[in-house]
Amino acid sequence: MTIEADELRRTDAYWRAANYLSAGQIYLRDNPLLHEPLRPEHIKPRLLGHWGTSPGLNFCYVHLNRVIRSADLNMIYIIGPGHGGPAAVANAWLEGTYSEVYPHVTRDAAGMARLFLQFSYPGGIPSHVAPETPGSIHEGGELGYSLAHAYGAAFDNPDLVVACIIGDGEAETGPLATSWHSNKFLDPVGDGAVLPILHLNGYKIANPTVPARIPEAELLSLLEGYGHSPIVVAGDDPPTMHRAMAAALDRAIAEIAAIQHRARRDGVTGRPRWPMIVLRTPKGWTGPKEVDGRPVEGTWRAHQVPLPGVRDNPDHLAQLEAWLRSYRPEELFDADGRPNADLLALPPAGQRRMSANPHANGGLLLRELTLPDFRRYAVPVDRPGTTFTEPTRVLGTFLRDVIKANPDTFRLMGPDETASNRLQAVFEATARVWQADRLPTDEHLAPRGRVMEVLSEHLCQGWLEGYLLTGRHGLFNCYEAFIHIVDAMFNQHAKWLEASRKIPWRLPVASFNYLLSSHVWRQDHNGFTHQDPGFLDVVMNKKPEIIRVYLPPDANTLLSVADHCLRSRDYVNVVIAGKQPALNWLPMEQAIPHCARGIGVWEWAGTDDGADPDVVLACAGDIPTLETLAAADLLRRHLPDLRVRVVNVVDLMRLQPDTEHPHGLSDRRFDMLFTTDKPIIFAFHGYPYLIHRLTYRRNGHENIHVRGYKEEGTTTTPFDMVMLNDLDRFHLVMDVIERLPQLGPRATYVHQLMADARLRARAHTREHGADAPEVAEWTWPH
Amino acid sequence: MTIEADELRRTDAYWRAANYLSAGQIYLRDNPLLHEPLRPEHIKPRLLGHWGTSPGLNFCYVHLNRVIRSADLNMIYIIGPGHGGPAAVANAWLEGTYSEVYPHVTRDAAGMARLFLQFSYPGGIPSHVAPETPGSIHEGGELGYSLAHAYGAAFDNPDLVVACIIGDGEAETGPLATSWHSNKFLDPVGDGAVLPILHLNGYKIANPTVPARIPEAELLSLLEGYGHSPIVVAGDDPPTMHRAMAAALDRAIAEIAAIQHRARRDGVTGRPRWPMIVLRTPKGWTGPKEVDGRPVEGTWRAHQVPLPGVRDNPDHLAQLEAWLRSYRPEELFDADGRPNADLLALPPAGQRRMSANPHANGGLLLRELTLPDFRRYAVPVDRPGTTFTEPTRVLGTFLRDVIKANPDTFRLMGPDETASNRLQAVFEATARVWQADRLPTDEHLAPRGRVMEVLSEHLCQGWLEGYLLTGRHGLFNCYEAFIHIVDAMFNQHAKWLEASRKIPWRLPVASFNYLLSSHVWRQDHNGFTHQDPGFLDVVMNKKPEIIRVYLPPDANTLLSVADHCLRSRDYVNVVIAGKQPALNWLPMEQAIPHCARGIGVWEWAGTDDGADPDVVLACAGDIPTLETLAAADLLRRHLPDLRVRVVNVVDLMRLQPDTEHPHGLSDRRFDMLFTTDKPIIFAFHGYPYLIHRLTYRRNGHENIHVRGYKEEGTTTTPFDMVMLNDLDRFHLVMDVIERLPQLGPRATYVHQLMADARLRARAHTREHGADAPEVAEWTWPH
């Protein structure tokens, strides 16, 4: 027994206070201290919120506070069941942080009344732990990502302990189920610690949870199999549970300290067995035991609002009053509603408060990346389209030096694809983190490193979110098709950023950077399942303020874009780039202004001499740019009098009106580039509809004819892929001719030539299993 | 030791044959039997495919064949590392199935040459296990879903054993990590068995895998924690490994039989501890040990093509020849390339062959659902818009009787939301499947049931895919926002269906039906994280042939749509419906033809008397329909001379041109509904761009003004949600007026009235925490 009687009493009082404040938020719009008997008009008209998980969250909170004080810990708290918003808010208010960031919510009766009323109320605050909640980096609206966020926060924060509660069924989700293995990627020397608390209160919304209903031996076997040393705290008698939880936390913190001591000071290597806690309590603990003759505490009926009828049902009202009074608010708060001295003295002070820990407001800790001059990595380009480079391989050299220059604030995540995506130069500077066993045949594995590879896009995404939200930098490289695996996580992170921008005390964090390679046009070898450019369509649904999409057509533009993205804040940047040898178009001195403009005419590729063109060939993406340039070349040869303008788009947001997106072009500039009345053949990297969606308000939109991926593909050759989708150079020329009937018989002849060229290309592919050299090795002729 | 020496010899020969055929597919375009010395021109120009996993897949295949024969098992084989396509194809060819479904690929030298050439070749077959592969229901292009598919196949197939190999890192993915818990949902009486084989060959693409690099005791603890009884088979000496694998499989099959016997004949209840196998072999086993002085067998270098330079590098060519000859093809195939008698005699016959098992071509086994007449569940509607019903609650009564009438071919999946989505009438007919422990407080849990609830959208999706692809029926109900969790799985399933439609021997299967409720407009209580209608944008990127989207506006239309979806084949049907009390618009006799047409004018709601309207109010979705009807009512009252037409859209695909989608309206019919020159105010359930995307080719598209979700939301009230997004009735009226400047001062006054009404509504919400009765309880006046 490690908790003294007096401390136990104060701990329990604090827990009661937090529970009282949690229930109060769900129910009360007036009479916050129950100075009067409870009447229907004190009750909110619409009862929203989740009670079931809240007492458990509060229980952990007060006990974590205890060990923060006793061991002077630097700790944050990730609340997986984020629907327990009342608990997080209650504790932030008790600790004083709430009133510091929201001065109108004072730590007194008036403030308490505001605290209660605003919860889950129009114009108030969300019902979940949210960006609005001090101390949080994790919303938990969509269950599954708490533990990955916790690890992301702990990486490169050797003094931080991240307590992470997993509850209300989150352990059943796939992302959480694999997150346990994050301990194979945590370095006890350079990283902090994660303390998982598996909160088994028995039920999720309407059903029991699996981990709560397997034999305890099986559960412990599972958790030991995850590499943990579990400590079980189970029961429902508060004094007993306080003692057990205090002992468990003392032990867990001591084990963490011992592990870190052995690793850091004694140099003990090898993966430690980290402690964790299994907390079994009733759902809705201390709430109504029964309502209308049916059990509530300890069942799924406690999940949301356990007494639903309080405004109309006097029995429910009386039961609510008895419940609230069971916490003895008169002992907890003075007549003016201020927490009493015992309560005020209990939590840690200043930045040690979990609600005020700067790691939970990462912008406070954000340091600028030290970026090498990206121009140094430029590929020399004497003439456009005559030399081949693998763009991501060049980017790898830049990232290598970013890693060298920022040894503890930048990480590169990827699902086992860093080398496949040709970024392997980074391994000259660092290794892949790997705390599991190693063999002599392994390469670039080490207990500590800047590259994190695991075959789980969920973990890559979740780790990087946690890392960024605690004030660091990074990049996630992924096969384009499989980034859909984290669509939902992207949505949630985007929503977090959208909401955070409106909260003055949340400082900007580094942007989330995606590098999507091995993209749709070069998955000819893996086939149809690997061909999906639709992530952009998901991304585009989020707020324009935070969304950026870049399609650099070659190595130098990729470097310029990457440098820009790594410097940005509070965005989600999506960069799509090729890894295969591809033609270099722009020398760096042209790449930089082209990327800064985001869109521009490539005069050297066109034949309109800056004057009014007959047709505009637009392109976005590396392969569409290649095919467009090849089409422009064919047009120049076969229809030399045709005035062709080539427009290349790097920054996709430029296509939107400036009223829709901060990067949008004005209509005037758009019209200058695209004309208002000439045919536009637009070769696009993704599904063609996206271009229509971005441009449907533009003048002359009806002249835009888009070619893109139309869900045709299989295992074949690169040029066959573009032919299957009518994006190939020959088809682009045919598209031009079909839209210019005035061109006459010469054009009709050229159209037939192109159709023949397609047939020949297909026949060659079938016969030789590879593309003909004239397409595979085509270069821009001068 | 359970395998005889002669059987061991024949087993090994068969394995060598499969390995030979696997390597041959990757490398050879000629000289398939090595009757001549290998020359560069025998080698494919482009070497594609994945060798590393293939020998392990073949090893399992031949040993599974052995137990199929010895125990007369009905077994299918799910190959998680589906990039091992050569192995699946090799075995199908050896078993004769390949030549049965593709007669031009004969089981002789000519056929073998075709088999080799076609693999991963333009115009040939995919490099992965694919719909083209006989015996497969699982592509595995995107790792993570094998085990969920295996369980889906096993449900309600009591005689089936589903062997499922998990390898090459798939165990690190989130979906797979939680799939292990599927055994808590498998009934040993009514369901078949799943035999997981965790294939630890050490590496994924470029890295070791976590389960391969944790101590074996920890791994076994993990697998026991998952509820399994693991059997380890480890080594690299083929004879030893054959004996060990045979013994392991004999034991596993015996344990499965014993479990089923105890449960089925002895009535033993309680969750059994199912066997599973851990298979440790080198990656690329039997392939080149070293290439260019670096280890290959047993390392990640064996993952794809272990000898990359065979066409140009004579050493590599010689090494390839030695490798291929190490299988002694001359002992395996006769002079004409036919497998020798020993090989022909080894696999099971007919439908016992895993490549020919009808469960892997579910359309063969598909039985029509017995559907009750959905009209019987109709809500009486005397006058439109005057009574309230919860649509999904009504659907629940229909689904209850679907379940009753189809006790072993229909399942309802949901992530703990069946009751929350108001489908709880189904519990009158069935229970939630639950094989874990139960408590007296539980409700509707039983070892056997038709409802499957687990807090993992991945499992719901994966189970249902496996269930449908083996010839059964089902529906997945989910919160709308969180269906994004399975975007990637939807993509893969859609691609499977797209490819399957082109394969004559694959018969149609039941459609995948999504019911998305708790949708964006009624997540006012959970807030911003629960508000995302973007799944439709993901869905719309797939081929029109297989995509259907329905937005029934009330209970009777929902019933009609649901009946239609349950009868359909080879589609993905997405149905979005409300669960909150909502106005009933159509009696069943009108709902049926309205749903059949998918789009139509609601004459009773408009004021254009069937003549030329001044404005068209269009709507799709329950809340947009409500707001549109309320706007029509306001217009009728305030601007009685205005001719308003109301168009309701149930089948979203109707909006596309008939050249784009089989359900698309002709331009003529579209113009008749929407006019070509009048303003169209379109109130849409989702992100507004989707309507532009569907209609951008239509006449008068520039007149369409869409209101939808524009990513504004928080915890507030239902009407505040529509106001935040300018979708409310008042704003729709303002939109109409702004587009009809000719209406004059009266309209200007009404515009102001509407703006005032919005302010009042917002003020009411802020003051009372609830919507004003005049909007919350509004009904259609007659």
Side-chain angles (χ1 to χ4, degrees), chain A residues 45-46 121 172 178 203 205 207 221 416 432 442 453 487 495 524 531-532 542-543 712 768-769, chain B residues 45-46 121 172 178 203 205 207 221 416 432 442 453 487 495 524 531-532 542-543 712 768-769:
Chain A
R46 200 162 170 239
Y121 194 85
E172 292 177 7
T178 198
Y203 289 91
I205 300 179
N207 278 292
S221 177
D416 195 30
R432 303 175 179 105
D442 295 336
E453 295 207 324
D487 278 3
K495 282 176 180 279
D524 44 285
Q531 297 161 357
D532 192 306
K542 296 300 143 208
K543 288 253 181 180
E712 290 289 345
H768 299 281
Chain B
R46 201 162 169 238
Y121 194 86
E172 292 178 7
T178 198
Y203 289 91
I205 300 180
N207 278 291
S221 178
D416 196 28
R432 303 175 179 106
D442 296 336
E453 295 206 324
D487 278 2
K495 281 176 180 277
D524 45 283
Q531 297 161 357
D532 193 306
K542 296 300 144 209
K543 287 255 182 180
E712 290 288 346
H768 299 280

Side-chain angles (χ1 to χ4, degrees), chain A residues 29 45-46 48 50 120-123 126-128 139 141-143 168-169 172-174 177-178 181 184 203-210 213-215 218 221-222 224-227 271 273 295 299-301 416 432 434 436-439 441-443 445 453-456 458 482 484-485 487-488 491-492 495 498 524-526 528-532 534 537-538 541-543 687 689 692-693 696 701 709 711-712 715-718 765-769, chain B residues 29 45-46 48 50 120-123 126-128 139 141-143 168-169 172-174 177-178 181 184 203-210 213-215 218 221-222 224-227 271 273 295 299-301 416 432 434 436-439 441-443 445 453-456 458 482 484-485 487-488 491-492 495 498 524-526 528-532 534 537-538 541-543 687 689 692-693 696 701 709 711-712 715-718 765-769:
Chain A
R29 64 175 298 152
R46 200 162 170 239
L48 301 176
H50 295 80
S120 208
Y121 194 85
S127 66
H128 289 232
E139 174 120 13
E142 181 175 284
L143 297 175
D168 275 14
E172 292 177 7
T173 67
T178 198
H181 290 299
K184 282 84 187 178
Y203 289 91
K204 36 197 195 251
I205 300 179
N207 278 292
T209 62
V210 168
R213 297 296 182 86
I214 58 177
E218 197 168 305
S221 177
L222 179 66
E224 286 161 10
Y226 286 137
R271 177 168 54 95
R273 183 165 284 274
T299 81
W300 77 94
R301 295 191 190 90
D416 195 30
R432 303 175 179 105
W434 190 258
D437 298 346
R438 281 178 286 152
L439 295 178
T441 42
D442 295 336
E443 285 187 356
L445 292 187
E453 295 207 324
V454 61
L455 196 47
S456 167
H458 292 112
F482 299 155
H484 274 297
I485 291 171
D487 278 3
N491 279 337
Q492 296 299 330
K495 282 176 180 279
E498 291 169 15
D524 44 285
H525 58 303
N526 276 317
F528 196 40
T529 53
H530 287 52
Q531 297 161 357
D532 192 306
D537 299 275
V538 174
N541 281 337
K542 296 300 143 208
K543 288 253 181 180
Y687 291 100
Y689 316 96
H692 291 296
R693 167 176 168 172
Y696 74 91
H701 166 252
Y709 184 63
E711 199 70 8
E712 290 289 345
T715 312
T716 184
T717 65
T765 302
R766 292 287 186 280
E767 187 177 341
H768 299 281
Chain B
R29 64 175 297 151
R46 201 162 169 238
L48 300 176
H50 295 80
S120 208
Y121 194 86
S127 66
H128 289 233
E139 174 119 14
E142 182 174 283
L143 297 175
D168 275 15
E172 292 178 7
T173 68
T178 198
H181 290 299
K184 283 84 189 179
Y203 289 91
K204 35 196 195 252
I205 300 180
N207 278 291
T209 61
V210 168
R213 296 296 183 86
I214 59 178
E218 196 168 305
S221 178
L222 180 66
E224 286 162 10
Y226 286 138
R271 177 167 54 93
R273 182 165 283 274
T299 81
W300 76 95
R301 294 190 190 89
D416 196 28
R432 303 175 179 106
W434 190 257
D437 298 346
R438 282 177 285 153
L439 294 178
T441 42
D442 296 336
E443 286 187 356
L445 292 186
E453 295 206 324
V454 60
L455 196 46
S456 167
H458 292 112
F482 299 155
H484 274 298
I485 291 170
D487 278 2
N491 278 337
Q492 296 298 330
K495 281 176 180 277
E498 290 169 15
D524 45 283
H525 58 302
N526 275 318
F528 195 40
T529 52
H530 287 53
Q531 297 161 357
D532 193 306
D537 298 276
V538 174
N541 281 337
K542 296 300 144 209
K543 287 255 182 180
Y687 291 100
Y689 315 97
H692 292 295
R693 168 176 167 173
Y696 73 92
H701 166 251
Y709 184 64
E711 199 69 9
E712 290 288 346
T715 312
T716 184
T717 65
T765 302
R766 292 286 186 281
E767 190 178 337
H768 299 280

Side-chain angles (χ1 to χ4, degrees), chain A residues 264-285:
Chain A
R264 295 174 190 182
R265 269 150 286 188
D266 305 342
V268 173
T269 56
R271 177 168 54 95
R273 183 165 284 274
W274 294 94
M276 66 161 292
I277 289 173
V278 177
L279 175 64
R280 290 187 192 267
T281 72
K283 189 158 186 146
W285 193 16

Side-chain angles (χ1 to χ4, degrees), chain B residues 12 39 55 118 139 181 271 403 442 516 533 605 640 693 775-776:
Chain B
D12 187 67
R39 294 195 305 274
Q118 70 171 11
E139 174 119 14
H181 290 299
R271 177 167 54 93
I403 285 169
D442 296 336
L516 306 184
R693 168 176 167 173
V775 294

Side-chain angles (χ1 to χ4, degrees), chain B residues 1-9 11-12 59 63 66 231-234 237-251 285:
Chain B
M1 193 180 104
T2 57
I3 188 167
E4 303 287 331
D6 182 59
E7 194 179 8
L8 187 149
R9 184 188 55 74
T11 299
D12 187 67
F59 185 77
H63 281 275
R66 187 182 153 275
I231 307 166
V232 179
V233 177
D237 173 56
T240 314
M241 287 293 283
H242 284 308
R243 283 188 209 100
M245 188 68 172
L249 273 176
D250 284 346
R251 182 178 141 198
W285 193 16

Side-chain angles (χ1 to χ4, degrees), chain B residues 256-491:
Chain B
I256 287 171
I259 287 168
Q260 292 179 335
H261 190 92
R262 283 196 299 272
R264 296 176 189 180
R265 271 152 285 188
D266 306 342
V268 174
T269 57
R271 177 167 54 93
R273 182 165 283 274
W274 294 94
M276 66 162 291
I277 290 173
V278 177
L279 175 64
R280 289 187 192 267
T281 72
K283 189 157 186 145
W285 193 16
T286 73
K289 296 245 181 291
E290 282 197 359
V291 176
D292 301 332
R294 295 190 301 182
V296 172
E297 191 197 38
T299 81
W300 76 95
R301 294 190 190 89
H303 182 68
Q304 296 192 25
V305 178
L307 286 161
V310 276
R311 259 168 90 101
D312 307 315
N313 180 330
D315 286 349
H316 282 204
L317 185 67
Q319 221 179 330
L320 172 63
E321 180 159 5
W323 169 22
L324 291 174
R325 289 200 189 279
S326 76
Y327 299 119
R328 306 194 297 280
E330 68 284 2
E331 296 179 10
L332 306 170
F333 307 101
D334 68 17
D336 294 328
R338 277 183 289 271
N340 70 25
D342 266 4
L343 297 189
L344 290 175
L346 195 130
Q351 296 195 342
R352 287 303 199 221
R353 294 173 297 178
M354 293 192 289
S355 58
N357 191 305
H359 291 285
N361 184 7
L364 286 171
L365 302 174
L366 186 69
R367 286 178 284 148
E368 295 284 326
L369 273 182
T370 303
L371 287 177
D373 185 347
F374 67 94
R375 297 172 193 83
R376 283 205 281 122
Y377 306 86
V379 175
V381 181
D382 293 337
R383 288 187 304 145
T386 51
T387 55
F388 289 86
T389 301
E390 295 155 293
T392 53
R393 194 182 290 273
V394 175
L395 180 67
T397 62
F398 174 63
L399 292 176
R400 174 196 63 207
D401 295 345
V402 172
I403 285 169
K404 275 187 199 162
N406 302 276
D408 57 1
T409 55
F410 179 87
R411 293 209 181 206
L412 179 65
M413 312 283 175
D416 196 28
E417 292 156 7
T418 302
S420 172
N421 285 329
R422 313 267 165 104
L423 299 173
Q424 57 266 62
V426 298
F427 297 124
E428 298 165 19
T430 188
R432 303 175 179 106
V433 190
W434 190 257
Q435 288 279 333
D437 298 346
R438 282 177 285 153
L439 294 178
T441 42
D442 296 336
E443 286 187 356
H444 311 307
L445 292 186
R448 184 150 184 78
R450 300 286 93 198
V451 178
M452 307 202 62
E453 295 206 324
V454 60
L455 196 46
S456 167
E457 287 77 2
H458 292 112
L459 277 182
C460 294
Q461 174 87 22
W463 288 342
L464 187 52
E465 288 176 0
Y467 197 67
L468 298 176
L469 290 172
T470 48
R472 282 79 61 80
H473 307 261
L475 185 146
F476 176 10
N477 82 93
C478 189
Y479 279 20
E480 182 186 35
F482 299 155
I483 198 66
H484 274 298
I485 291 170
V486 295
D487 278 2
M489 296 182 76
F490 155 78
N491 278 337

